[in-house]
Amino acid sequence: MKIGISAGTASALGFIKSRCDCPPETAYLIIGDKCSNSCSFCSRGNPQSGNMLSRVTWPKYDFEEAITKIKNAYDDKKLKRVCFQTVSQPDINELLRRFIIEVRKLSDIPISASISSLSLKDIQKIFDAGADNISLPIDCASKTLFQKIKKKNYQKVIASIKQAALAYPKRIATHIIAGLGETEEEMASCLSEINSLGVNIGLFAFTPIPHSEMASYPPPSLRYYRKIQILKRLVETGRPDVFYIKEGIIYFSEKIYNLLEQTKNKGAIFQTSGCAGCNRPYYNERPGNIPYNYPRKPSEAEVENALKTALGNMWQPNI
């Protein structure tokens, strides 16, 4: 039995040899081929896309060999988690359940799974199989664009995620993609709503992918993404008093300087967010570019640059 493995994970596990300056801390696996969903930002439903997801390739390898390598890497403290991605196709959740059971037989490595089903029955079966966390992706923060981009109803999706979060506290996560055409106000509203449900948020930057409906749509500016990363931290730490919205734009109050100055690990704001141990190197960016999400602890200079990018003259570099 074979399973798709991200190119970075395949390299970390020794399936292939490639240069990797920042190896993944999570083993990323994908189940399924063609997706029956038709999200505008994704090409997985298009046969011409091959085995791409975002800008990552997912070659297939023997699953039994893969989980043995994952177990050994986890035992050697080279991996912190395994994450199953799934496409939407018949019986995908049953297939996912079987894969999780096989991993759990061999290792107690933490397991996350991203699924499109919002059924509590399906979610319970996946937890029963041995998953620790389940992600129910929202992706689009705009209520007005949600139907167009996700081909689903925003309020129904939010209601289902709320139901799941109440049933499984601190075990439900979601993904939100910045740069799909949402306003800053819509992003702030979505982040606040999801955070109030106790749902863990993984923030992504939109990446234009060939063969997707949004292939020609531009990625978000680094300034916008840095603002959203700071906003996410403020929402999660209960500091709505440090930002305000005027004519749809997010502004930070003068409190932001002292607040960030007192933050012990400012760099964490700009690192990959999501489940523990998830660093997704180069999922949204190309090597050599300034990353949207740092897959490792950023340097002091990188942190200062990120803060200056987001806050402009409100932040004065002190190095």
Side-chain angles (χ1 to χ4, degrees):
M1 184 164 55
K2 292 185 178 294
I3 190 168
I5 301 178
S6 75
T9 300
S11 175
L13 294 178
F15 281 111
I16 58 175
K17 290 184 178 181
S18 65
R19 182 177 175 274
C20 187
D21 57 355
C22 185
E25 297 177 351
T26 290
Y28 301 100
L29 314 178
I30 191 167
I31 304 172
D33 296 307
K34 185 178 183 299
C35 185
S36 62
N37 288 336
S38 53
C39 301
S40 298
F41 54 83
C42 183
S43 64
R44 196 72 188 192
N46 189 329
Q48 297 181 5
S49 69
N51 64 356
M52 296 287 291
L53 182 65
S54 188
R55 55 177 308 278
V56 178
T57 57
W58 302 73
K60 290 189 175 183
Y61 298 95
D62 181 77
F63 179 64
E64 291 187 0
E65 184 179 0
I67 59 174
T68 298
K69 288 177 177 288
I70 288 170
K71 175 192 181 302
N72 293 338
Y74 178 64
D75 291 345
D76 292 340
K77 302 187 184 307
K78 294 179 180 179
L79 285 178
K80 298 178 180 178
R81 179 176 294 273
V82 60
C83 179
F84 286 97
Q85 303 293 307
T86 63
V87 304
S88 184
Q89 65 182 48
D91 300 324
I92 195 69
N93 290 323
E94 177 58 25
L95 190 57
L96 168 63
R97 192 183 69 83
R98 294 175 187 172
F99 276 119
I100 291 174
I101 288 172
E102 292 305 311
V103 173
R104 191 53 76 225
K105 286 179 181 177
L106 202 63
S107 175
D108 61 353
I109 185 172
I111 297 174
S112 295
S114 179
I115 65 174
S116 59
S117 173
L118 297 172
S119 162
L120 284 182
K121 184 178 180 180
D122 287 340
I123 292 171
Q124 182 63 63
K125 287 182 178 180
I126 294 168
F127 277 135
D128 288 344
D132 296 283
N133 301 93
I134 293 177
S135 180
L136 307 173
I138 293 172
D139 297 319
C140 181
S142 171
K143 295 178 183 179
T144 58
L145 294 175
F146 198 83
Q147 183 68 48
K148 178 182 178 181
I149 291 175
K150 288 287 291 182
K151 317 299 193 288
K152 295 179 180 180
N153 181 279
Y154 181 88
Q155 294 301 342
K156 288 183 178 179
V157 171
I158 292 294
S160 295
I161 291 176
K162 180 178 181 179
Q163 186 180 37
L166 288 172
Y168 310 100
K170 301 186 183 301
R171 301 184 71 185
I172 301 297
T174 195
H175 303 153
I176 297 178
I177 302 173
L180 291 178
E182 75 284 345
T183 66
E184 294 186 14
E185 184 173 10
E186 285 178 316
M187 178 60 77
S189 176
C190 184
L191 289 174
S192 297
E193 184 172 19
I194 297 306
N195 182 71
S196 71
L197 301 178
V199 172
N200 184 31
I201 300 170
L203 187 64
F204 292 71
F206 167 68
T207 303
I209 303 298
H211 309 299
S212 69
E213 291 180 28
M214 298 180 71
S216 61
Y217 198 82
S221 70
L222 197 58
R223 180 176 184 273
Y224 171 68
Y225 197 75
R226 293 288 183 249
K227 284 180 68 177
I228 300 307
Q229 286 175 312
I230 292 174
L231 172 70
K232 178 176 179 289
R233 170 59 66 89
L234 295 177
V235 167
E236 291 175 338
T237 54
R239 293 304 304 265
D241 58 308
V242 186
F243 70 91
Y244 61 97
I245 296 170
K246 182 179 180 180
E247 297 180 351
I249 304 298
I250 297 167
Y251 294 92
F252 298 104
S253 73
E254 294 180 357
K255 296 179 182 179
I256 191 69
Y257 184 87
N258 288 335
L259 179 64
L260 290 173
E261 274 286 90
Q262 295 166 12
T263 300
K264 291 183 179 180
N265 185 10
K266 293 189 286 289
I269 298 172
F270 308 109
Q271 288 182 247
T272 304
S273 61
C275 297
C278 179
N279 64 336
R280 302 191 304 270
Y282 306 120
Y283 190 82
N284 291 141
E285 49 270 307
R286 297 182 181 279
N289 293 348
I290 296 175
Y292 287 107
N293 302 302
Y294 282 96
R296 37 95 185 149
K297 184 177 181 179
S299 68
E300 187 175 351
E302 288 170 330
V303 173
E304 292 293 336
N305 184 59
L307 291 166
K308 184 67 175 178
T309 298
L311 303 174
N313 291 332
M314 290 186 70
W315 187 264
Q316 298 298 323
N318 55 17
I319 59 171

